[in-house]
Amino acid sequence: MYSEKVMDHFTNPRNVGEIENADGVGEVGNASCGDIMKIFLKVEDNVIKDIKFKTFGCGAAIATSSMVTEMAIGKTLDEALELTNAAVAEALDGLPAQKMHCSNLAADALHEAIKNYKETHSA
């Protein structure tokens, strides 16, 4: 049902945790399935230097959270904003159709964290 990459990111998630005094925080949830994702950013010179996540949800939700952090770290904020839910699912070698709604949260949470950063750090 799940690809090896999904299973790897679910059983060995990367960048789990919270960043104290984060520069940006984004939280999204899907009420119908109960998945909730929160992403924390540390930004230096417009580049994501550190990123962590906390996710309450199914294996796909945890795997997509882990993957989006791997994809975003080291990118500029604008580059990270270009990451899509479809790209996250593709990087995991796909998700079952009934789990695609979970992957939609990962990029959304990242985008919310960037939006929060821009709102609190605008000149």
Side-chain angles (χ1 to χ4, degrees):
M1 179 164 148
Y2 289 119
S3 72
E4 281 184 35
K5 279 189 183 177
V6 170
M7 292 307 296
D8 180 40
H9 277 270
F10 168 60
T11 56
N12 304 295
R14 284 67 149 178
N15 306 305
V16 176
E18 204 169 317
I19 297 174
E20 281 195 42
N21 304 314
D23 295 321
V25 179
E27 183 172 359
V28 296
N30 183 324
S32 67
C33 63
D35 293 335
I36 300 168
M37 294 180 186
K38 196 168 190 176
I39 288 191
F40 304 84
L41 301 176
K42 264 297 181 202
V43 179
E44 289 176 28
D45 299 323
N46 215 36
V47 174
I48 297 172
K49 292 295 185 183
D50 194 12
I51 184 169
K52 300 268 188 247
F53 78 90
K54 289 179 114 178
T55 293
F56 177 82
C58 66
I62 292 165
T64 56
S65 298
S66 175
M67 180 55 84
V68 83
T69 64
E70 290 281 282
M71 294 171 78
I73 199 159
K75 288 194 177 347
T76 67
L77 296 176
D78 288 339
E79 288 170 339
L81 279 172
E82 292 177 16
L83 291 175
T84 64
N85 304 318
V88 173
E90 189 177 310
L92 287 166
D93 294 336
L95 288 169
Q98 69 270 28
K99 292 295 182 182
M100 281 304 289
H101 66 279
C102 302
S103 73
N104 291 342
L105 296 180
D108 292 346
L110 173 64
H111 296 168
E112 285 298 313
I114 293 169
K115 179 181 165 190
N116 175 254
Y117 170 79
K118 288 185 172 189
E119 287 171 352
T120 58
H121 292 81
S122 59

Short mmCIF file of all heavy atoms in Angstrom, two decimals, residues 36 66 77 104 114:
data_model
loop_
_atom_site.label_atom_id
_atom_site.label_comp_id
_atom_site.label_asym_id
_atom_site.label_seq_id
_atom_site.Cartn_x
_atom_site.Cartn_y
_atom_site.Cartn_z
N ILE A 36 -3.26 16.84 12.09
CA ILE A 36 -2.85 18.21 12.40
C ILE A 36 -1.33 18.28 12.26
O ILE A 36 -0.62 17.43 12.79
CB ILE A 36 -3.25 18.61 13.83
CG1 ILE A 36 -4.77 18.54 14.01
CG2 ILE A 36 -2.75 20.02 14.17
CD1 ILE A 36 -5.23 18.64 15.44
N SER A 66 7.68 14.84 7.29
CA SER A 66 9.11 14.59 7.27
C SER A 66 9.71 14.97 5.92
O SER A 66 10.73 15.66 5.84
CB SER A 66 9.37 13.11 7.58
OG SER A 66 10.73 12.79 7.46
N LEU A 77 12.98 31.33 0.98
CA LEU A 77 11.55 31.32 1.28
C LEU A 77 10.74 31.21 -0.01
O LEU A 77 9.75 30.47 -0.07
CB LEU A 77 11.15 32.56 2.07
CG LEU A 77 11.79 32.65 3.46
CD1 LEU A 77 11.42 33.96 4.13
CD2 LEU A 77 11.40 31.47 4.33
N ASN A 104 -1.66 16.83 1.31
CA ASN A 104 -2.03 18.22 1.06
C ASN A 104 -1.71 19.11 2.25
O ASN A 104 -1.53 20.30 2.08
CB ASN A 104 -3.52 18.31 0.73
CG ASN A 104 -3.85 17.70 -0.61
OD1 ASN A 104 -2.96 17.51 -1.42
ND2 ASN A 104 -5.09 17.39 -0.83
N ILE A 114 5.80 30.10 6.44
CA ILE A 114 6.47 31.17 5.68
C ILE A 114 5.63 32.44 5.74
O ILE A 114 6.16 33.54 5.94
CB ILE A 114 6.74 30.73 4.23
CG1 ILE A 114 7.77 29.59 4.22
CG2 ILE A 114 7.22 31.91 3.39
CD1 ILE A 114 7.94 28.90 2.89
#
